[in-house]
Amino acid sequence: MGDAENLMTRELQAAADRHGHGSPEWASAQCDLGNVLLNADQLDRAVECFRRAVSVPPRDHESHKDQLTYRLNLGLALRMAGRFDEAETELRQGVQERLAFYGREHAGYAFGLEPLADLLRQRGDLAGARQVVEEAVANLWRNGHERVASALALRAAIVHAAGTREPLFVGLHQLPDEVVEQVGQVVIQLLDRSDPASKPLLTALVTALRERLGVDHQATLNALSVLANLGRDLGDQAGRIEAIGRVLASYDRQGRQEEALMAALGLAMGQDEAGDTEAGLRTYAAADARAERIGRPELRSQVLRNWGLALKEAGQVGPAEQRLVEAVNQARRGADHDTVGRAGVALGLFLQHEGRLSEARSVLEEGLAVMDPVHPDAIVGRSHLGAVLDGRTCGCGDMPGTIADAFREFVMTRLPADLLDRLDVAIVDGDFKIEVGLRREPAEAELERLNDVFQTALAEFRRRISEPHYAG
């Protein structure tokens, strides 16, 4: 994301140089940068990019269409940032502008209705959301537009939230397969993974996809996989295992060996987390046999690493070491550096906890040398390496310090070498505390760049703090 932001920032400057600040080209580049920032979870910065894009008066038919898109993006970004009042204002204004530009019967008008209906759903105005989404569905259906898929998915979520006994998914038999698949994808995107009410909505989707597309269709299997993940998030381990079992059986029926292997790994993990350790270990053993038949060393390494970690948790130290050593050996036979690194980190942590610090240091250093430094496993490995160098056999070392070091490296490599005199980074009360010393007065563009880099780093590394690995 940092590289993407750098690229779009340069493109924005180039548009300003070539066409002028406030030109349609400049507005388009602002929108593109806003989209990058949106995907990097830098929502407030994205809002300002879209707001600047909207501020450019349209000059012709095409730039008027573009401005409608910019306002839509502004409303969506405000909604994602939780600024619902502002979002509703922008989305309602966008609907009126689209009505004036396109007319009520055009699909372009419905494109503005759909996000407004979703916002009203989020705000709890289900009656208002239902009215708006029904107009969107009717419009897109009349126009034969494939975007009807997302409108139907949103309608299902709204009807479900209202608690009526109406059918959630209507008209699927009249739609092409690819549009039905899109309905499933959008429903999955709308789910709140922390809300138990999401399970009946997703279960209804699985049933609808199975009846319309078939039990072995990829859309059905994708929905089942999400149902399994939802079971994990909600603590429904039995439902999770049942869903994974259905996915695994389908892949086996279709002879899709690699997909079946991944499902088997998920099943083993689910069984283990449900407290059925023996079943989990049996499934890992079966998964290893599957991986051996497939013959890809990267896959075999992944299975062996997970199996070894499970054996260690089960107190079977000798077999655990055998699997973890073989995971490293298999990874070295492959071509994926992160697989080598992850296997090395897993073995290194095992050796550290067994008191074999010299061996642990060697394995950890080898693994970390080939990994992306901001990979979560690399951060964990670097922290444990610090503990090994201190002569400690347990604990993960200074995990906050390790993340702070990675943050510092991320920033320093993206700024002019002569700009910063010092950069002190610490994690205090679960967030970053930063102190900066400058060698010289920065130019205006450099100061803006400095602020942008820090915002990017904060968005990236705050996720690292909140990840489970952070606890060591």
Side-chain angles (χ1 to χ4, degrees), residues 1 109 157 175 216 222 243 252 299 306 374-375 389 394-395 398 417 430:
M1 284 298 178
Y109 169 61
L175 298 173
D216 291 328
N222 290 345
D252 277 339
L299 292 176
N306 290 7
V374 299
H375 190 290
L389 295 174
C394 62
D398 181 14

Side-chain angles (χ1 to χ4, degrees), residues 370-382:
V370 298
M371 289 190 80
D372 179 347
V374 299
H375 190 290
D377 283 11
I379 292 176
V380 170
R382 193 179 298 118

Side-chain angles (χ1 to χ4, degrees), residues 268-282:
M269 187 178 299
Q271 291 167 330
D272 195 31
E273 293 180 7
D276 194 347
T277 301
E278 290 304 316
L281 293 177
R282 287 194 301 271

Side-chain angles (χ1 to χ4, degrees), residues 52-182:
R52 285 191 285 267
V54 168
S55 71
V56 176
R59 298 181 180 178
D60 52 29
H61 184 82
E62 285 304 312
S63 61
H64 198 160
K65 285 176 60 178
D66 290 339
Q67 192 187 51
L68 294 173
T69 299
Y70 305 153
R71 189 174 302 281
L72 178 61
N73 288 356
L74 173 59
L76 293 173
L78 287 164
R79 188 195 73 192
M80 292 173 65
R83 296 159 63 175
F84 290 156
D85 288 342
E86 295 174 81
E88 185 169 343
T89 297
E90 295 295 339
L91 291 175
R92 287 193 181 278
Q93 182 173 343
V95 165
Q96 293 305 312
E97 291 174 351
R98 285 172 177 272
L99 179 60
F101 185 82
Y102 289 111
R104 191 172 297 276
E105 300 303 314
H106 195 282
Y109 169 61
F111 292 174
L113 291 172
E114 188 183 331
L116 176 59
D118 195 17
L119 175 66
L120 295 174
R121 175 185 70 92
Q122 287 186 283
R123 303 199 76 174
D125 181 5
L126 298 179
R130 179 70 181 271
Q131 180 180 357
V132 175
V133 81
E134 292 290 5
E135 185 177 5
V137 168
N139 176 304
L140 295 165
W141 194 284
R142 284 194 308 270
N143 281 290
H145 200 288
E146 65 177 8
R147 184 78 171 263
V148 73
S150 57
L152 285 170
L154 178 58
R155 178 191 179 278
I158 292 168
V159 172
H160 172 70
T164 69
R165 295 185 176 275
E166 299 172 74
L168 299 185
F169 300 98
V170 296
L172 298 189
H173 63 285
Q174 301 178 52
L175 298 173
D177 287 2
E178 60 270 18
V179 176
V180 176
E181 293 176 41
Q182 291 174 32

Side-chain angles (χ1 to χ4, degrees), residues 276-352:
D276 194 347
T277 301
E278 290 304 316
L281 293 177
R282 287 194 301 271
T283 303
Y284 276 123
D288 186 49
R290 289 174 181 269
E292 195 167 11
R293 288 194 297 271
I294 293 170
R296 283 186 55 201
E298 296 91 349
L299 292 176
R300 184 102 194 275
S301 176
Q302 183 176 349
V303 174
L304 288 163
R305 184 186 73 245
N306 290 7
W307 191 8
L309 293 173
L311 285 164
K312 177 180 176 295
E313 288 298 315
Q316 300 183 36
V317 175
E321 182 175 355
Q322 294 173 7
R323 303 309 186 279
L324 292 173
V325 169
E326 183 59 22
V328 173
N329 292 335
Q330 289 291 328
R332 288 169 177 158
R333 292 178 53 214
D336 183 73
H337 289 165
D338 278 349
T339 300
V340 176
R342 296 187 72 191
V345 168
L347 177 58
L349 267 60
F350 172 87
L351 294 170
Q352 176 199 11

